[in-house]
Structures are given as C-alpha cells and as structure tokens.
Amino acid sequence: MAKKRIVTATINGREEEFLCQPRQTLLEILRNTLNLTGAKEGCSNGNCGACSVLVDGKAINSCMVLGVEIEGADIETIEGLAPGDGLDPLQSAFLENAALQCGICTPGYIMAAKAFLAENPNPTEEEIRFSMAGNLCRCTGYDKIVRAIQQAAEQQAGQPASCAKETV
C-alpha cells in the first residue's frame, strides 16, 4: 500500500489539511474524510455530474480527480455556497421552480450552474442546456432546472424573475 500524503487546500473558505492515499478521489476525501456529503457518488466515472464541485472556480467531477491533485487549490462545495443565514440565489431558484426531487443530482447541478453563471451571467436557454449537458437528472426533467438557472441569472442581473418561465 502506498504511503498516505498530507494535502492542504482551502475548502469552503477554510484551510484544511488531511491525509489521503494517492489513489483516493477528491469525492472520497470530501465525503469520508471531511464529512462534506453534499457531493454525491452517482457513476464514479465522470458521466453524471452528481459529484460536481468547484476547484479554483471551475466545475469538475470530484470522482475523477485524485485528492493529492488538489494541493493548494481552492475548493467550493454545496456546503459552502449559502451564506450563514439563508440560501444562495441558485438554491432558492431550484426550490421555487421545483427543480429537484430525489436530491442526488441537485448539488452537482447547482455547483455547475454557479461556475457557468460566473462565466456567462446572461445566458440564453440554449447556452444553459449546453452547459448543463454533463449533469444528469433521472427524476425532475430538465425544463425546471433550466428555468431555475434562468431565474438565478436574472436575479443576479437585477431583472424580474418572471421572465424565466416564459422562455422555456
């Protein structure tokens, strides 16, 4: 067995230091070592997006990244998204649009959408659908998810949220 390594990273704004085996994925570290269980294991091969987290502002599938690879990185998980006294606008939009059901895919969608909206704050429906193609949902249907992302984008831009329902 390979020796465990010490890894230091900023996770949800806090510097964390942990031991991990060279073969452990970031998803395993988050869930089993750091008790951050928001990212879900859906496929373990990078196809479903349920384990999406942000690494240095980019959405990645945490099941496809080794824990040792995040040395010095800035990681954001769904647990670090909301302010202490409420929900992030994306979380609120998912609730208001019923864009969740079983909850397995929801954290991954929200984190992928956060990274996408940071790069494209005023997306079209087509751009949202294309950007979310790496995330799968088996329960809700994609229209509600697209509406939620549109609503969050409009709220961030200061536009009325009612426009989101008309474009889908």
Side-chain angles (χ1 to χ4, degrees), residues 4 16-20 24-36:
K4 288 187 176 184
E16 299 280 352
E17 185 176 273
F18 53 87
L19 284 172
C20 69
Q24 281 184 291
T25 66
L26 174 56
L27 178 61
E28 291 172 317
I29 298 300
L30 292 172
R31 292 184 60 80
N32 303 332
T33 302
L34 301 174
N35 295 315
L36 297 171

Side-chain angles (χ1 to χ4, degrees), residues 12 19 24 28 36 56 61 69 72 74-75 91 93 103 118 121 125-126 135 139-140 150 155:
N12 297 328
L19 284 172
Q24 281 184 291
E28 291 172 317
L36 297 171
D56 297 327
N61 292 322
E69 293 179 288
D74 184 21
I75 313 297
Q91 291 170 311
E125 176 183 344
E126 183 178 353
N135 292 71
C139 301
T140 325
Q150 285 176 313
Q155 287 175 338

Side-chain angles (χ1 to χ4, degrees), residues 4-110:
K4 288 187 176 184
R5 297 189 186 179
I6 298 173
V7 175
T8 304
T10 302
I11 301 175
N12 297 328
R14 290 184 39 209
E15 187 172 299
E16 299 280 352
E17 185 176 273
F18 53 87
L19 284 172
C20 69
Q21 294 178 3
R23 64 174 178 77
Q24 281 184 291
T25 66
L26 174 56
L27 178 61
E28 291 172 317
I29 298 300
L30 292 172
R31 292 184 60 80
N32 303 332
T33 302
L34 301 174
N35 295 315
L36 297 171
T37 58
K40 305 294 190 248
E41 183 175 352
C43 66
S44 297
N45 62 17
N47 285 313
C48 75
C51 66
S52 296
V53 298
L54 304 187
V55 175
D56 297 327
K58 302 288 183 196
I60 59 102
N61 292 322
S62 61
C63 71
M64 299 301 296
V65 174
L66 296 174
V68 295
E69 293 179 288
I70 65 158
E71 176 66 42
D74 184 21
I75 313 297
E76 188 174 2
T77 70
I78 193 75
E79 289 90 350
L81 189 61
D85 61 346
L87 295 175
D88 180 85
L90 270 166
Q91 291 170 311
S92 294
F94 267 66
L95 284 172
E96 291 169 15
N97 287 279
L100 55 108
Q101 211 165 57
C102 80
I104 296 293
C105 70
T106 307
Y109 262 110
I110 290 173

Side-chain angles (χ1 to χ4, degrees), residues 89 92-93 96-97 146-168:
S92 294
E96 291 169 15
N97 287 279
V146 171
R147 280 195 299 266
I149 296 168
Q150 285 176 313
Q151 178 180 321
E154 290 168 355
Q155 287 175 338
Q156 289 174 351
Q159 299 171 358
S162 62
C163 298
K165 292 181 172 78
E166 297 171 9
T167 60
V168 175

Side-chain angles (χ1 to χ4, degrees), residues 119-162:
E119 290 183 13
N120 186 352
N122 190 24
T124 65
E125 176 183 344
E126 183 178 353
E127 290 169 331
I128 292 170
R129 288 182 184 278
F130 184 79
S131 74
M132 295 295 114
N135 292 71
L136 302 177
C137 175
R138 293 179 176 96
C139 301
T140 325
Y142 297 99
D143 288 338
K144 293 176 182 183
I145 292 168
V146 171
R147 280 195 299 266
I149 296 168
Q150 285 176 313
Q151 178 180 321
E154 290 168 355
Q155 287 175 338
Q156 289 174 351
Q159 299 171 358
S162 62

